[in-house]
Amino acid sequence: MQFKVKEMFQVSVLLFGMAVAASARNEPAPAANQIVAFKQKSSGPVGFMTTSAGAPIEVTDTSTLNKNLIFNEFFMDSLTHLVRERIPERLVHAKAGGAFGYFEVTHDITHICKAKMFSKIGKKTPMAARFSPVVVERGGTDTSRDARGFALKFYTEDGNFDIVGFNTPMYVYKDPILFPTFVRAQKRNPATNLIDGNMLWDFLTLRPESLHMFLIVFGDRGIPDGYRHMPGFGIHTFEVSNEAGDKHFIRFHFIPDAGIKNLRSAEAAKISGIDPDYATRDLYNAIASGKFPSWTVKIQILTLDDVKNARIDVFDVTKVLPQDEYPLHPLGRFVLNKNPINYFAEIEQLAFNPANLVTGIQGGPDKVFEARRLAYRDAQYYRLGANFNNIPVNCPIQTKVFAYNRDGVAPVKDNQRDIPNYYPNTFNGPVPYKEEKHAELIQIYQDEANNFEQARELYINEMTKDERSRLVENVLYSLGGAIQSLQDRAVKFFTLIHSDLGSRIEQGLQVNRTGFNWDHDI
């Protein structure tokens, strides 16, 4: 195998430059020195080895040569556990970085929402955050061109409240029946086991509402420069209610206080080859060094009349709510100031569910939100078992749980001890509370998705000339390998978004066809 001297030189220069820069700043590398730091804070071995059942392990048991293996409990305990150490990988969002911190209220919104976590200015609520590329597997790269998950768990006194959002202000589809199709189209071809551009572009051109989000994915915002510089969005328009029972509707925006930064394709490709865990490492090192990342939290607020009179479906997750019509209102900020002590226990087992709602927040009335309430819960059952909410990182730490759920695969904790295990009962088991001014989620009717207008607005008014050029380049890089019929369909829809965009992509494809035989490669 031959290597290009120029490319090797460029990589060497980049590596050398990174090392020199770090040395010049004299910055510590907490992630690289974690195990060293553990030794330094320990006066010696933390204790004597035991089996998982607690039996002490004698030094002769650490060797198996010329001995009966089945009688060596250290060997048996270690080996049989090793082959069971992996749980099912998340179907999407498998690779991630995460941390813990707090949310603080900075502005009063009690006039629209009675959730206790928003009850007064200055109130702090502990929270967890998990950031993740959508498509790549667990061993993939942090700098792939992809959307990112932006998931937050708030440990409130009314139970956990989860916002399972994205780094894009809109989502891909309006009809949740498309979720399996969307995922499979981006995953590996079942025959070749390779990522297949034909599959992706077949989906995008069959469901052109997805192009609104993918203008961002293929644009300058498609590769965030680490998680600390990545914005987040709740995607859904949440229904909330106040103490009087009045309904309002809000969309969440999370704006990084360090500023929004993104990587260009060439830079991301270089980083990918050197440090595929770039974003995860950056987040860990920043927190460990005391440079705690923070985000300002803002919301768009709509009244029931706003919803009724809106010119768009404000619950359509493939659309954004225009900020000139529904301006941003400050709500608070969240700070991440604690790294996980054990990644598997605290981040891999961190289980999100849009159904984790609290009094005063009814959720989204759209079908995607309804489907996610089922899908996320079912995914956690599959990955972590029926008692996943008993895993410490998922426990509602500010309230006592009185559930009638019992038994099942561990962890069961105290399994609700001797409390009656059925409801209703007359033996003093837990009973439901009665909410004053109870609010029901509104029922809505939704048309088929159609958002070329907003995609056009994004292309013309939110992208500079240079950004539009890079968007075209990135689209061509992906679309250029697809068969011509898919290319022609894509050009048709890009033209519907804007004639300039369609024309530039069409011209770029024609140049590619002249220089390369794409069909032959396929």
Side-chain angles (χ1 to χ4, degrees):
M1 183 176 182
Q2 294 182 343
F3 296 92
K4 295 182 180 179
V5 175
K6 182 179 179 182
E7 292 178 355
M8 291 296 292
F9 176 75
Q10 289 175 337
V11 171
S12 299
V13 169
L14 183 60
L15 281 168
F16 177 75
M18 292 170 65
V20 169
S23 175
R25 293 190 302 267
N26 196 29
E27 291 183 353
N33 293 325
Q34 182 276 326
I35 198 166
V36 177
F38 178 83
K39 180 179 180 180
Q40 291 173 344
K41 70 181 181 182
S42 307
S43 57
V46 295
F48 290 110
M49 291 170 57
T50 71
T51 66
S52 57
I57 295 171
E58 208 270 330
V59 67
T60 60
D61 288 336
T62 60
S63 173
T64 60
L65 298 180
N66 306 312
K67 297 176 183 178
N68 291 323
L69 299 182
I70 200 169
F71 297 131
N72 186 322
E73 192 55 25
F74 174 54
F75 169 79
M76 295 294 290
D77 193 47
S78 300
L79 187 66
T80 56
H81 188 280
L82 176 66
V83 297
R84 292 167 173 80
E85 284 184 358
R86 295 295 174 263
I87 63 174
E89 182 178 290
R90 283 174 168 88
L91 176 67
V92 287
H93 303 282
K95 180 177 173 57
F100 301 88
Y102 63 89
F103 165 78
E104 180 178 9
V105 178
T106 59
H107 292 75
D108 182 20
I109 64 164
T110 55
H111 61 292
I112 67 167
C113 183
K114 63 181 178 181
K116 291 180 181 177
M117 64 180 289
F118 304 138
S119 61
K120 62 181 180 179
I121 293 175
K123 182 165 187 175
K124 293 183 178 180
T125 299
M127 61 171 294
R130 187 178 187 273
F131 310 118
S132 54
V134 175
V135 178
V136 299
E137 290 97 345
R138 240 190 115 182
T141 176
D142 283 348
T143 56
S144 62
R145 182 167 294 282
D146 192 2
R148 302 295 193 276
F150 196 105
L152 307 175
K153 184 181 291 290
F154 303 88
Y155 302 97
T156 88
E157 60 263 59
D158 271 345
N160 293 345
F161 170 50
D162 292 356
I163 298 178
V164 192
F166 272 73
N167 74 320
T168 59
M170 76 293 285
Y171 193 50
V172 187
Y173 51 79
K174 188 174 184 177
D175 188 339
I177 201 170
L178 294 168
F179 177 64
T181 302
F182 175 62
V183 171
R184 290 167 183 158
Q186 293 188 94
K187 289 295 186 177
R188 296 179 181 275
N189 181 303
T192 66
N193 198 38
L194 298 171
I195 302 298
D196 192 327
N198 286 321
M199 295 162 57
L200 171 63
W201 284 99
D202 193 31
F203 176 85
L204 295 180
T205 54
L206 285 172
R207 304 303 308 190
E209 69 266 26
S210 62
L211 293 174
H212 189 200
M213 175 174 159
F214 271 80
L215 287 186
I216 291 183
V217 172
F218 287 120
D220 278 5
R221 289 184 274 175
I223 311 176
D225 186 359
Y227 297 130
R228 295 185 296 128
H229 298 288
M230 185 175 79
F233 304 89
I235 299 174
H236 302 277
T237 301
F238 287 74
E239 178 186 308
V240 298
S241 57
N242 59 19
E243 291 289 354
D246 301 322
K247 296 178 185 292
H248 288 79
F249 303 86
I250 64 176
R251 276 205 186 186
F252 289 96
H253 296 243
F254 308 98
I255 305 162
D257 294 328
I260 297 173
K261 295 182 182 179
N262 300 285
L263 297 171
R264 301 283 169 80
S265 297
E267 185 181 11
K270 288 180 179 180
I271 293 173
S272 176
I274 297 166
D275 185 7
D277 301 314
Y278 172 80
T280 305
R281 190 184 315 281
D282 175 73
L283 179 66
Y284 187 99
N285 284 338
I287 295 172
S289 301
K291 301 173 184 177
F292 303 139
S294 62
W295 285 257
T296 295
V297 182
K298 296 185 177 183
I299 55 175
Q300 292 175 284
I301 303 174
L302 292 78
T303 65
L304 194 56
D305 284 340
D306 289 332
V307 170
K308 292 177 180 177
N309 297 320
R311 60 184 178 82
I312 62 171
D313 177 0
V314 299
F315 301 108
D316 184 346
V317 292
T318 72
K319 287 185 169 67
V320 299
L321 301 185
Q323 292 185 24
D324 57 346
E325 297 179 48
Y326 313 106
L328 292 174
H329 298 266
L331 168 57
R333 68 191 290 260
F334 74 84
V335 179
L336 300 180
N337 59 8
K338 180 180 178 294
N339 278 318
I341 296 174
N342 183 280
Y343 180 88
F344 180 86
E346 297 177 281
I347 303 301
E348 185 63 22
Q349 292 193 121
L350 187 55
F352 294 93
N353 184 357
N356 287 344
L357 301 167
V358 294
T359 301
I361 305 176
Q362 287 80 252
D366 60 278
K367 285 300 176 183
V368 171
F369 192 91
E370 184 179 348
R372 294 178 90 192
R373 293 183 68 151
L374 167 65
Y376 279 71
R377 184 194 309 275
D378 193 47
Q380 309 307 349
Y381 282 155
Y382 171 66
R383 294 181 59 249
L384 303 171
N387 293 302
F388 66 86
N389 278 324
N390 286 336
I391 297 171
V393 74
N394 298 319
C395 288
I397 58 178
Q398 292 205 78
T399 185
K400 173 67 176 175
V401 173
F402 288 105
Y404 279 96
N405 296 333
R406 294 290 191 279
D407 308 340
V409 176
V412 297
K413 300 181 74 174
D414 64 9
N415 208 28
Q416 296 296 306
R417 298 173 62 86
D418 57 350
I419 297 172
N421 68 343
Y422 62 95
Y423 175 83
N425 65 78
T426 56
F427 298 98
N428 294 335
V431 295
Y433 85 105
K434 182 172 178 57
E435 181 183 354
E436 296 296 330
K437 305 293 183 180
H438 176 73
E440 292 282 351
L441 192 63
I442 65 169
Q443 299 291 315
I444 62 174
Y445 173 83
Q446 293 190 290
D447 293 318
E448 286 289 322
N450 182 347
N451 54 11
F452 290 127
E453 179 182 350
Q454 288 200 347
R456 184 179 307 114
E457 180 80 11
L458 173 61
Y459 180 70
I460 292 300
N461 295 326
E462 296 187 39
M463 292 183 177
T464 66
K465 179 180 178 181
D466 289 342
E467 286 175 333
R468 290 195 289 268
S469 294
R470 287 190 291 271
L471 167 67
V472 171
E473 291 175 5
N474 294 329
V475 168
L476 290 172
Y477 182 82
S478 175
L479 181 59
I483 60 175
Q484 185 168 341
S485 61
L486 295 178
Q487 293 177 350
D488 292 342
R489 263 163 47 187
V491 167
K492 170 187 173 184
F493 289 117
F494 281 125
T495 302
L496 287 173
I497 292 173
H498 196 277
S499 58
D500 174 71
L501 177 59
S503 174
R504 295 173 71 174
I505 291 176
E506 183 177 29
Q507 291 174 16
L509 290 172
Q510 289 174 350
V511 171
N512 281 345
R513 290 169 192 158
T514 302
F516 304 98
N517 187 349
W518 294 105
D519 291 338
H520 177 73
D521 291 340
I522 292 169

